[in-house]
Amino acid sequence: MPVHDRVQQHARKYPQSVAINIDGQTLSWQQLWRRSQALYQYILTQPTAGNPVAIATGNAIAFPIAWLAATAQPFTAAIVDPQLPAAQLHEMLSRIKPGLLLLNQQDRATIALADALQIRWLAVDRWLENDPVNADDLPAFSQGMHDATPFLINFTSGTTSLPKAFVRSRRSWRSSFENGEAIFQLTDAPSTLFPGPLSNGIGLYCLNETLYAGGCFYSLGKWQPDGALALIARQQIQRLVVVPTMIAGFARVADGQLFPGLLNLLSAGSKLELNHYRQARALFPEAQIQEYYGASELGFVAVSTLNDDSISDSLATVGQAFPGTTIEILDDDGAPVAVNQPGRIFIRSEQIIEGYLWGDDGSAFKKYAWGATVSDIGYLDERQNLHIIGRRGNMIVSGGNNIYLSEIETTIKSIRGVIEAVVIAIDDNYLGKKIVAMIDAELSLAETIPLICREQLAKYKLPRHYYHISRWPLTPAGKIKRAELEIRIANHDFRTDLTELPAGR
């Protein structure tokens, strides 16, 4: 795996400095290096038969140890979220067929599942109680960081069906660490917090880029916005990596607190909107705010550092190409389009995945010798800034019109006072699809939004229904479960947290 040599260097240089802090449990660089080496040597003695080593420890102090051990040559690690629905977890493990499953001793449900599937398992936390962590003669296991050999099986996000599984090479991540260290200002090794699950691709990458740079990585056992803010204040954390909905979560519980010690905020996973920027700036007045656009299959595509003095212009784009990445905009025939003309976004980069293990329906990710795409639509302007028009699956046809839901969502989120908003489309016998908006804001403001939309959107883009929502269904990573909202609206399942607003039409 690409960071082993860096961990070894940091362990020699700063043996007693804290490398990992998860829910208050810590590992020094020396402890992390020795314990991961010891576990690696143990796994080598197990009959894995060349199958992946699966990690299902969740956000526990054992995770980074298991990660380093299971990603060293010759192993490939599969990162499994133990909080997945039981049916999904069963299907995932059945397909992966791991030679060894690393988990926590208190996770009786996953242990029972492993036994039922006849999968060998190891409770890492219990094993570490007796491992030879003080041995000084363990051989290094940092070979092969630059190799184009597989080291990771990970999964695209999924909430109602089995996520797609993809394979990534060691070199794909090593190149992104090398190119990202300067642009994300990691050369000074800032302390970094990712407050979501480490099984999530963003969290997993954040852990490793922090280890690569030599900073202290912080996380929580589970997503808790108030707990994350308390941790930032208590530990004077300098850098925060989030998905935008986490910023909205912070805004709900901050109660006027300021965190001037935070110097860098990086947003990923979905477009940072004006409401998220306002919330982040109110909480973290001294932070440089960056966002990146990418995809699980592509890695980093573009990076933007927001300019407070021209924030509307900054937010209109996702920035310029990530170092080592080339962006092209092509039409449906594969020909380049002119500046400011939309088309499919293609990239060339060392970060592109090797391919899928399962779930590839050919509708989004396409890989060619000259580039790859996830079928997102956008354009490059005169300064080579990338603009996203619609993410995959975000365009609908309603009443014969092509509509990008993200445009409507951005309009609503730009209204001052809106905490969060989601725009979805549900089946309609007359229109084909009808647009529905859900808004998290003070009720008095939410009631005015249909009128504001009439002033800012074409008539065919106006939502047919508006709802005031007080509680979002969230994934463990802090993302909104859009599919669950679609089902609830289709079934008229409003409960007490969802109230229809007058449409204002």
Side-chain angles (χ1 to χ4, degrees):
M1 164 46 202
V3 300
H4 292 79
D5 59 334
R6 288 296 189 102
V7 174
Q8 182 182 31
Q9 293 171 21
H10 304 323
R12 288 172 176 169
K13 194 172 182 179
Y14 315 108
Q16 303 309 317
S17 296
V18 176
I20 303 289
N21 184 321
I22 298 179
D23 259 357
Q25 291 188 287
T26 63
L27 288 169
S28 70
W29 285 105
Q30 186 178 74
Q31 288 172 327
L32 176 61
W33 176 245
R34 287 182 171 177
R35 294 182 186 190
S36 57
Q37 281 193 93
L39 182 58
Y40 170 73
Q41 295 297 328
Y42 175 82
I43 297 174
L44 282 174
T45 68
Q46 302 304 297
T48 59
N51 290 349
V53 177
I55 304 174
T57 61
N59 281 30
I61 198 66
F63 182 91
I65 297 170
W67 165 258
L68 290 174
T71 52
Q73 293 273 29
F75 301 126
T76 299
I79 310 304
V80 176
D81 181 1
Q83 301 302 315
L84 284 173
Q88 279 194 20
L89 193 58
H90 184 283
E91 179 70 10
M92 191 175 288
L93 290 175
S94 297
R95 292 191 182 212
I96 295 171
K97 296 181 173 62
L100 182 66
L101 174 62
L102 306 178
L103 40 68
N104 295 318
Q105 61 179 327
Q106 72 272 22
D107 189 356
R108 307 312 304 176
T110 304
I111 289 173
L113 176 58
D115 288 340
L117 294 173
Q118 297 184 320
I119 295 172
R120 295 174 60 86
W121 56 268
L122 174 68
V124 182
D125 49 349
R126 184 174 181 180
W127 181 86
L128 286 169
E129 294 173 358
N130 302 304
D131 74 335
V133 295
N134 294 319
D136 292 320
D137 57 350
L138 293 172
F141 63 152
S142 58
Q143 294 80 19
M145 284 82 62
H146 293 268
D147 293 353
T149 52
F151 84 101
L152 171 62
I153 298 171
N154 210 350
F155 306 90
T156 59
S157 57
T159 56
T160 59
S161 59
L162 189 67
K164 298 176 183 177
F166 60 87
V167 182
R168 186 170 288 286
S169 75
R170 287 174 168 81
R171 180 60 196 162
S172 71
W173 264 18
R174 185 70 177 202
S175 65
S176 62
F177 293 149
E178 293 165 350
N179 290 320
E181 196 168 18
I183 199 167
F184 294 137
Q185 300 181 7
L186 300 178
T187 50
D188 294 329
S191 53
T192 297
L193 166 66
F194 178 74
L198 298 179
S199 57
N200 175 274
I202 297 169
L204 190 61
Y205 188 90
C206 182
L207 164 66
N208 283 275
E209 70 176 359
T210 307
L211 293 178
Y212 184 86
C216 181
F217 176 79
Y218 290 84
S219 192
L220 304 170
K222 61 180 180 179
W223 162 239
Q224 295 176 313
D226 50 351
L229 291 178
L231 183 60
I232 292 170
R234 185 170 63 252
Q235 298 291 346
Q236 288 297 292
I237 290 170
Q238 299 165 286
R239 181 171 181 258
L240 176 64
V241 179
V242 293
V243 297
T245 48
M246 290 179 175
I247 300 174
F250 292 145
R252 292 189 195 95
V253 301
D255 196 25
Q257 296 178 83
L258 297 179
F259 302 87
L262 192 91
L263 302 181
N264 297 90
L265 185 148
L266 177 63
S267 176
S270 61
K271 184 72 182 79
L272 190 72
E273 305 284 0
L274 183 58
N275 66 317
H276 301 129
Y277 166 80
R278 289 169 176 157
Q279 294 159 356
R281 181 52 71 220
L283 287 164
F284 311 114
E286 302 300 323
Q288 173 184 267
I289 301 177
Q290 295 177 294
E291 71 167 320
Y292 77 77
Y293 157 73
S296 299
E297 298 88 345
L298 304 178
F300 295 102
V301 175
V303 180
S304 173
T305 300
L306 301 189
N307 184 338
D308 289 349
D309 295 329
S310 57
I311 190 59
S312 294
D313 290 340
S314 288
L315 289 172
T317 169
V318 291
Q320 297 186 338
F322 185 78
T325 298
T326 300
I327 300 173
E328 284 190 298
I329 310 298
L330 306 180
D331 63 21
D332 289 340
D333 296 322
V337 302
V339 169
N340 291 318
Q341 294 301 307
R344 279 200 297 173
I345 301 167
F346 279 80
I347 75 159
R348 292 193 299 275
S349 164
E350 288 188 288
Q351 301 174 56
I352 298 168
I353 65 170
E354 300 303 297
Y356 289 117
L357 287 182
W358 67 72
D360 184 9
D361 57 8
S363 63
F365 175 65
K366 297 181 184 298
K367 183 178 180 181
Y368 306 94
W370 43 268
T373 183
V374 290
S375 297
D376 284 353
I377 307 299
Y379 65 90
L380 291 168
D381 63 21
E382 297 85 352
R383 297 183 180 181
Q384 293 299 293
N385 288 311
L386 179 63
H387 298 250
I388 306 297
I389 294 176
R391 296 187 71 88
R392 50 187 163 175
N394 192 249
M395 191 193 80
I396 66 162
V397 178
S398 178
N401 298 296
N402 293 338
I403 301 170
Y404 283 99
L405 300 179
S406 56
E407 178 189 356
I408 305 166
E409 208 167 273
T410 296
T411 298
I412 295 173
K413 288 179 179 179
S414 69
I415 300 168
R416 187 174 294 276
V418 171
I419 297 173
E420 188 59 275
V422 163
V423 175
I424 62 173
I426 61 173
D427 292 335
D428 182 81
N429 290 334
Y430 177 68
L431 295 170
K433 292 282 186 181
K434 65 179 178 181
I435 303 167
V436 176
M438 278 155 283
I439 302 146
D440 183 357
E442 291 291 335
L443 182 59
S444 57
L445 171 61
E447 290 173 339
T448 69
I449 287 176
L451 182 59
I452 296 173
C453 287
R454 287 182 63 187
E455 296 170 350
Q456 298 187 15
L457 292 169
K459 185 175 181 180
Y460 70 90
K461 296 179 182 178
L462 290 172
R464 294 282 166 165
H465 301 277
Y466 297 82
Y467 293 90
H468 179 254
I469 189 167
S470 59
R471 184 182 62 84
W472 296 102
L474 300 176
T475 68
K479 291 187 176 183
I480 294 170
K481 295 181 178 179
R482 293 173 180 264
E484 182 173 321
L485 292 172
E486 291 170 3
I487 292 170
R488 286 188 57 184
I489 294 297
N491 293 336
H492 303 283
D493 179 7
F494 301 142
R495 306 177 200 171
T496 59
D497 58 351
L498 201 61
T499 305
E500 187 163 11
L501 299 167
R505 302 181 61 188

